[in-house]
Amino acid sequence: MKKSAAIGIDIGGTNTVIGLADECGNIPLKTSLKTGDYKKAEYFVEKISKEIKIIKQKISEEYEILGVGIGAPNGNYYNGTIEFAPNLPWKEKIELAKLIEEKINIPVVLTNDAKAAAIGEMIYGGAKKMKNFLMITLGTGLGSGFVVNGELIYGHDGFAGEFGHTIVFENGRECGCGRKGCLETYVSATGIKRTVFEFMSDYNFKSDLRDLTFHEIDSKIIYDKAVDGDQVCLHAFDYTSKILGRQLADAVAICSPEAIFIFGGLAKAGGMIIDATKKYMEASLMPVFRNKVQVLPSALDENNAAILGAAALAFKQFKKVTK
Amino acid sequence: MKKSAAIGIDIGGTNTVIGLADECGNIPLKTSLKTGDYKKAEYFVEKISKEIKIIKQKISEEYEILGVGIGAPNGNYYNGTIEFAPNLPWKEKIELAKLIEEKINIPVVLTNDAKAAAIGEMIYGGAKKMKNFLMITLGTGLGSGFVVNGELIYGHDGFAGEFGHTIVFENGRECGCGRKGCLETYVSATGIKRTVFEFMSDYNFKSDLRDLTFHEIDSKIIYDKAVDGDQVCLHAFDYTSKILGRQLADAVAICSPEAIFIFGGLAKAGGMIIDATKKYMEASLMPVFRNKVQVLPSALDENNAAILGAAALAFKQFKKVTK
């Protein structure tokens, strides 16, 4: 008997990765392409469909493909569309799921990347058996997936889960969304870099970062310097955790999750982010929620998480229907 | 054939109201008692059970009772308990649903009052056919019920929906929960009164309220004076709406609801609360959510809303099982 599998596709601003995943989370096949090489969405659809057909041919004796799952920035689950994604080459509204489905004759489901990560955590990661948890992805921005009663919150229009765009400071930092003071302008790879610049301005600490330009500094350097004891970087990690912890306390008041998973480059800073966020969250929580909510690093392997999340979405969507 | 009915019980700090409701929202029978007369929970259970039996006897030829629904402050849906409710005579943890069920041999379900109101709105009120909406109840405090994917958010422990205890100002007003700056210290009948006192301190506006003590002023007086053009009261309504509107913008970012319903005494101020809140919310919303989310007064009749909400909870819980 053939094994069940799903194709997971992660569309990023730089790379698009396509992989075949089985129900245990193995990825026997994986390929990638440069998203920016496809100036028109139709060329991209053509290429993706071709890659899927190649995978299908290669594995047809061993696996049955239940469906294709896509995680994409600004992806809308209800419509299967990518809508006005600022970091992708195609700025219009694209019916990606439908366009690919028509070419490959396999069902396709799509959602945004953070929601796909949440489903990945639920099926392959640390949230197995959890019905209520939050997924926070820290990258260029802050993405989130809120799971309640075992289901993702998509909201009325499919755009729910914009925790990164809750406001933490009135008239705070400028955000790409056109407003000010959004959480992700403080808590993300970009946010911690902005904090470093604020702190180099506010404090007189000596710091190696004073020899680097804004464009030269990234969250990896900030982490490495923090480990070396750089006070600007250590304070920046503490401040990032404080803002995140406080805002999570509000999210807990609304959703009362069992756990909060942190995913992405910054999450690798471990105690400097995970433990510190937990500490500040606990200090801000309403008494009834104290010492109940775990803050954990994602259990997914970062290299495969996006594919697994997208594949998990397809398994969740098509498994019952197909079998 | 007998008609289906449910018994709805609303337990308040002052009164407990018990009513029989049918599926159309009619309440053929209603009775009430003083909650404070029952110093021990067991006396209260005894009395409630007796009243239920009386109702059952009276209507047994016409109605079949599917179940009993209870809305209570600090009510926990998962456990059927009231836990450490500051405004009730019994401060301990009481297994109310189980205790009553044992005496009357009819299934009993319990939740907190704001969540019951949300279910009432969904079954009898303005949220019929809505799968994603928020219910905000403005009374002494601010209660909330978040509905996503057609289900209430109870959270991991049953205590989700504490929107009134999200923080709007760091080191803001003292809250009954032991922290500072909670939304309900600004947005509630008590909150607007505190704002009036802040504004009588901040501004030199003439106001009739300067002749009244803190204990003499309530939200009804503030509303009446605002209608008369009192500047302190008008500013207080505007400020209340501003704080609520801004905080709702964050809730929308997380849940993306179709509508937000406002219930309770303050909601009767109509445009001064509903329209003003909508205006401030729109000004704070992320672009993708603008002009999509309605802010509406609850469509439930205030006198019967609590009973209908509790009865609706029982219908939702026991209808499928019984039929």
Side-chain angles (χ1 to χ4, degrees), chain A residues 71-286:
Chain A
N74 296 50
N76 187 299
Y77 172 75
Y78 292 138
N79 311 329
T81 51
I82 297 179
E83 308 196 8
F84 318 109
N87 300 321
L88 296 182
W90 331 293
K91 303 300 175 203
E92 68 278 19
K93 183 169 168 174
I94 299 156
E95 292 187 312
L96 196 68
K98 188 174 149 235
L99 291 170
I100 295 177
E101 202 169 88
E102 284 170 357
K103 291 201 180 283
I104 60 168
N105 214 16
I106 302 175
V108 178
V109 61
L110 178 153
T111 192
N112 87 11
D113 34 8
K115 292 195 186 80
I119 296 180
E121 200 70 44
M122 186 158 44
I123 295 192
Y124 296 115
K128 284 173 192 166
K129 296 181 190 166
M130 286 190 188
K131 296 277 184 200
N132 295 276
F133 71 91
L134 312 186
M135 183 85 185
I136 306 291
T137 64
L138 300 177
T140 311
L142 185 153
S144 70
F146 281 58
V147 174
V148 302
N149 301 323
E151 297 292 332
L152 259 173
I153 304 186
Y154 288 108
H156 180 53
D157 60 357
F159 289 113
E162 289 291 356
F163 185 57
H165 293 279
T166 57
I167 305 289
V168 293
F169 289 116
E170 202 187 330
N171 292 316
R173 294 178 184 167
E174 277 187 8
C175 183
C177 78
R179 300 174 309 151
K180 285 183 175 182
C182 292
L183 178 62
E184 75 169 27
T185 66
Y186 298 86
V187 182
S188 63
T190 320
I192 196 167
K193 177 165 139 173
R194 294 171 82 162
T195 299
V196 158
F197 273 74
E198 185 179 323
F199 286 4
M200 285 201 287
S201 159
D202 284 353
Y203 304 114
N204 286 324
F205 296 124
K206 286 201 178 107
S207 171
D208 292 346
L209 296 193
R210 295 191 193 270
D211 296 319
L212 297 175
T213 68
F214 190 86
H215 288 300
E216 284 169 343
I217 295 177
D218 62 22
S219 60
K220 173 77 171 57
I221 295 174
I222 299 170
Y223 171 67
D224 289 340
K225 293 293 172 189
V227 170
D228 290 346
D230 183 296
Q231 285 299 308
V232 167
C233 298
L234 283 169
H235 277 74
F237 266 101
D238 187 65
Y239 184 73
T240 306
S241 304
K242 188 185 225 171
I243 305 281
L244 178 58
R246 284 186 189 169
Q247 201 71 351
L248 283 175
D250 280 356
V252 169
I254 292 173
C255 296
S256 188
E258 180 173 356
I260 296 160
F261 293 90
I262 316 277
F263 177 80
L266 267 185
K268 282 186 274 186
M272 278 198 291
I273 281 285
I274 308 285
D275 299 350
T277 297
K278 164 90 172 157
K279 177 186 80 180
Y280 285 115
M281 183 186 80
E282 286 291 340
S284 294
L285 279 176
M286 205 182 158

